[in-house]
């Protein structure tokens, strides 16, 4: 019975999970496609009468009892705000990267992998996402290099075992990408070995960057207490440093960034909002 609206700038609800081929760790819905999971969540919300606005929040005014949520198309005045703007991929920040995005540089193997059938690709990173991407790409690419700046991976051991058993995957240890080369498309990578200082060229058709995520902080930057990386500091009930403002999902400080923890945060935040409004 709260007068609430969810503001979503994307064309479809679901956030990052929309780009995931398969989700195997959401309880009760085994082996569900990421897009389907997003749709299921949205349909459930729709069936309960939740209101959605397709709009982009451009500014938040959070001081005072009535907050203003300024969007491209409308301005909302509200007593409480739940920030759930999520996160996005961290760029490598090397020459050639920005210029060749969409022309061989990708941040999503499951979205773009099919474009590299029978081609040579590289994955940069050493966590679960990087390993998952390399395994996924190995099924369609002729060869997959995994470039990691250390001499061991950070990702789950079970995934590592699977990766090391793949005949068309080659590990490039202790190495970083210095430059992504190519005129109109990716043609190769300039890499250097951090231990020996040696530089070399790797001929690839595509590079998948999986070096972590950053919070989507543009709308709240400077308005709330955050950690050094910009994630919103929030307690278990979702409360932030500003009264009436709560944070849920990948955008907040937490141990594990997954759908199930984002959903749990959402449940906590809604309960906190109800309690906050009742106490006002
Ligand atoms: C490749 C990949 C694979 C993954 N695989 C799994 C998996 O198998 N299992 C799992 O549990 N998790 C997985 N995750 C993690 C999971 O997707 C995230 O933890 C989860 O999506 C976080 O949800 P969220 O709602 O907090 O943020 P997000 O999913 O990032 O959603 C944030 C939403 O806010 C919207 N938004 C942002 N800024 C604005 C604005 N200014 N105005 C309006 N709307 C805005 C965005 O459009 C987006 O829809 C994966 C992530 C990736 C990238």
């Amino acid at each position: 019975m709260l007068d609430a609206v969810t503001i979503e700038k994307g064309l479809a609800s679901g956030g990052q999970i929309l780009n995931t081929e398969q989700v195997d760790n959401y309880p009760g819905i085994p082996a569900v496609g990421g897009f389907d999971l997003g749709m299921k969540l949205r349909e459930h919300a729709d069936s309960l009468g939740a209101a959605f606005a397709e709009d982009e929040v451009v500014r938040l005014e959070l001081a005072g009892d009535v907050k203003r949520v300024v969007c491209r198309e409308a301005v909302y005045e509200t007593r409480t705000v739940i920030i759930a703007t999520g996160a996005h991929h961290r760029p490598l920040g090397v020459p050639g990267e920005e210029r060749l995005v969409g022309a061989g540089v990708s941040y999503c193997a499951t979205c773009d992998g099919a474009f590299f059938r029978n081609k040579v690709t590289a994955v940069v990173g050493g966590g679960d996402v990087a390993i998952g991407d390399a395994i996924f790409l190995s099924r369609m690419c002729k060869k997959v290099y995994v470039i990691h700046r250390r001499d061991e991976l950070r990702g789950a051991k079970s995934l590592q075992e699977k990766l090391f058993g793949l005949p068309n995957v080659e590990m490039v240890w202790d190495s970083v990408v210095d430059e992504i080369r190519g005129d109109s498309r990716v043609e190769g990578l300039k890499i250097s070995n951090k231990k020996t200082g040696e530089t070399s060229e790797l001929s690839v058709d595509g590079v998948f960057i999986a070096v972590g995520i950053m919070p989507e902080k543009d709308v709240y930057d400077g308005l709330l207490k955050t950690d050094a990386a910009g994630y919103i500091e929030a307690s278990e009930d979702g409360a932030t440093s500003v009264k009436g403002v709560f944070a849920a999902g990948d955008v907040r400080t937490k141990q594990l960034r997954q759908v199930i923890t984002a959903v749990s945060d959402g449940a906590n935040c809604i309960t906190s909002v109800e309690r906050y409004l009742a106490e006002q």
Side-chain angles (χ1 to χ4, degrees):
M1 292 185 8
L2 297 174
D3 185 11
V5 62
T6 299
I7 304 161
E8 167 58 61
K9 71 175 176 178
L11 289 176
S13 296
Q16 294 167 70
I17 206 66
L18 290 176
N19 297 325
T20 310
E21 191 192 41
Q22 192 169 303
V23 178
D24 268 321
N25 58 358
Y26 193 78
I29 319 181
V32 62
F35 191 83
D36 291 344
L37 179 58
M39 290 303 112
K40 274 182 197 292
L41 295 173
R42 172 63 189 263
E43 280 162 19
H44 191 177
D46 283 341
S47 73
L48 295 170
F52 283 83
E54 279 174 25
D55 207 342
E56 180 176 0
V57 179
V58 289
R59 196 172 75 246
L60 291 171
E61 295 170 12
L62 300 178
D65 285 344
V66 177
K67 330 283 181 198
R68 277 165 55 88
V69 179
V70 182
C71 302
R72 290 201 185 278
E73 308 280 334
V75 176
Y76 298 87
E77 294 204 331
T78 171
R79 288 160 67 200
T80 60
V81 177
I82 298 174
I83 302 177
T85 48
H88 62 271
H89 299 281
R90 188 187 290 278
L92 269 186
V94 297
E97 180 180 16
E98 224 180 301
R99 185 170 56 82
L100 293 166
V101 168
V105 173
S106 171
Y107 301 87
C108 179
T110 48
C111 321
D112 300 330
F115 299 120
F116 298 89
R117 203 166 287 281
N118 298 322
K119 303 219 159 153
V120 179
T121 57
V123 174
V124 186
D128 281 345
V129 172
I131 302 175
D133 283 358
I135 294 171
F136 176 78
L137 290 167
S138 72
R139 294 186 203 129
M140 61 195 82
C141 296
K142 191 159 68 184
K143 172 140 197 154
V144 182
Y145 294 101
V146 178
I147 304 169
H148 185 43
R149 61 188 164 153
R150 301 190 213 289
D151 58 5
E152 59 178 1
L153 298 172
R154 276 179 291 112
K157 289 281 179 258
S158 55
L159 282 176
Q160 293 195 29
E161 249 171 52
K162 200 166 171 185
L163 181 76
F164 296 149
L166 294 168
N168 59 341
V169 171
E170 183 177 330
M171 301 303 302
V172 184
W173 298 111
D174 299 312
S175 297
V176 291
V177 175
D178 296 324
E179 188 183 343
I180 301 173
R181 292 193 163 155
D183 291 331
S184 56
R185 287 205 59 79
V186 169
E187 288 164 17
L189 305 173
K190 185 178 162 214
I191 56 174
S192 58
N193 185 299
K194 288 185 65 163
K195 280 195 176 148
T196 63
E198 235 173 76
T199 61
S200 56
E201 290 270 346
L202 211 55
S203 197
V204 297
D205 303 296
V207 55
F208 290 83
I209 295 163
V211 293
I213 58 167
M214 291 162 73
E216 196 69 50
K217 61 180 182 174
D218 287 359
V219 293
Y220 64 77
D221 211 14
L223 303 177
L224 297 161
K225 219 171 176 184
T226 64
D227 69 6
Y231 290 100
I232 300 173
E233 282 190 5
S235 48
E236 201 183 335
D237 62 2
T240 70
S241 56
V242 175
K243 254 177 64 182
V245 180
F246 303 84
D250 277 14
V251 76
R252 58 154 298 161
T253 48
K254 54 161 58 180
Q255 279 288 323
L256 180 66
R257 292 192 167 83
Q258 284 190 343
V259 178
I260 187 165
T261 62
V263 167
S264 313
D265 292 342
N268 273 314
C269 279
I270 287 293
T271 312
S272 302
V273 162
E274 282 184 316
R275 197 176 305 125
Y276 172 85
L277 291 173
E279 283 167 4
Q280 290 302 296

